[in-house]
Amino acid sequence: MENYYSFIALALLSEIIGTVSGFGSSILFVPVASLFFDFKSVLGITAVFHVFSNLAKIYLFRQGINKTIAWRLGLPAIAFVLLGAWLTTYLPAKPLEAIMSVGLIGLSIYLMLNFNRTIQQSNGNLFIGGAASGFLAGVAGTGGGGRGITLAAFQLPKVVFIATSAFIDLGVDTSRAVIYVSNGYFDRKYLVLIPFLIAISIVGSYLGKVILKYASEIIFRYMVLTVVTAVSLFQLIKLFT
């Protein structure tokens, strides 16, 4: 039970940082959960937790949802998260995580160096960003980096960024949660965590919203790119050590 207390404390920190950085807690929650649980349990717990997390963010930031971007980015994300979740029983996750981490680091550095450059909000770019983030979420448990990079490149206002990302992620996480739970990735013994995960989602999202009031749009965008780079680098180091 002591391990659960440590896990809950770190999960709350992940939720706060995930809200402030704009693309959800899973990019930090997955490495944290992997310290306490096996890989498939991490996938299951993360998906279930993130459903509650996204519901909290959608409520708190509901005025900012960009439905056009949400549907065009979200539909391919949902399609590819189902594919990625199904493939977890057949493909090794480490090579895919390594490739995606390298790609995210490169894109983050590029956007930092070209801070004022945006990419066109075309259907093609939205499809690529959604497909990549969805597939990685299904295979490795977190696709927030890919979605965060896509939305950051559009230079969306922070409230629009967070609300739209959460709206997309709700569909993604609900889809993969169904597959993970049906495949036994969320063991019954973890049901005791659900009340804590719900509380963490609400409290962490609210505290993140309070902190965001004091962050400018420029600082917010740099935080997004910095967190993506740092976590991707951490994932690479973890994969090879």
Side-chain angles (χ1 to χ4, degrees), residues 14 35 39 44 52 61 63-64 84 113 121 125 131 140 170 182 200 204 231:
S14 298
L35 299 174
F39 177 68
F52 303 131
F61 297 93
Q63 72 276 15
L113 296 176
Q121 292 185 26
N125 288 333
L170 179 62
S182 64
I200 289 167
V231 175

Side-chain angles (χ1 to χ4, degrees), residues 81-213:
V81 76
L82 291 172
L83 174 62
W86 176 71
L87 287 174
T88 55
T89 56
Y90 302 101
L91 293 179
K94 285 190 176 182
L96 295 171
E97 286 185 79
I99 292 170
M100 189 60 72
S101 294
V102 171
L104 290 176
I105 291 170
L107 282 171
S108 297
I109 293 173
Y110 172 80
L111 290 173
M112 285 182 185
L113 296 176
N114 298 273
F115 190 77
N116 293 319
R117 181 173 294 182
T118 61
I119 64 173
Q120 184 181 0
Q121 292 185 26
S122 66
N123 290 339
N125 288 333
L126 289 170
F127 179 86
I128 292 170
S133 64
F135 185 75
L136 185 62
V139 170
T142 174
R147 186 175 58 258
I149 284 292
T150 304
L151 294 175
F154 290 161
Q155 295 193 4
L156 299 174
K158 57 188 177 182
V159 173
V160 176
F161 185 115
I162 294 170
T164 304
S165 181
F167 186 81
I168 295 167
D169 216 13
L170 179 62
V172 169
D173 285 313
T174 302
S175 301
R176 67 184 174 122
V178 170
I179 293 179
Y180 293 154
V181 172
S182 64
N183 284 330
Y185 291 10
F186 192 87
D187 194 279
R188 287 187 177 183
K189 66 184 178 182
Y190 300 135
L191 290 174
V192 68
L193 291 175
I194 287 183
F196 296 101
L197 296 178
I198 293 173
I200 289 167
S201 300
I202 296 170
V203 174
S205 296
Y206 176 76
L207 292 176
K209 183 179 182 181
V210 171
I211 294 170
L212 271 173
K213 290 181 180 179

Side-chain angles (χ1 to χ4, degrees), residues 43-54:
L43 292 179
I45 293 169
T46 301
V48 171
F49 169 57
H50 232 215
V51 170
F52 303 131
S53 173
N54 289 317

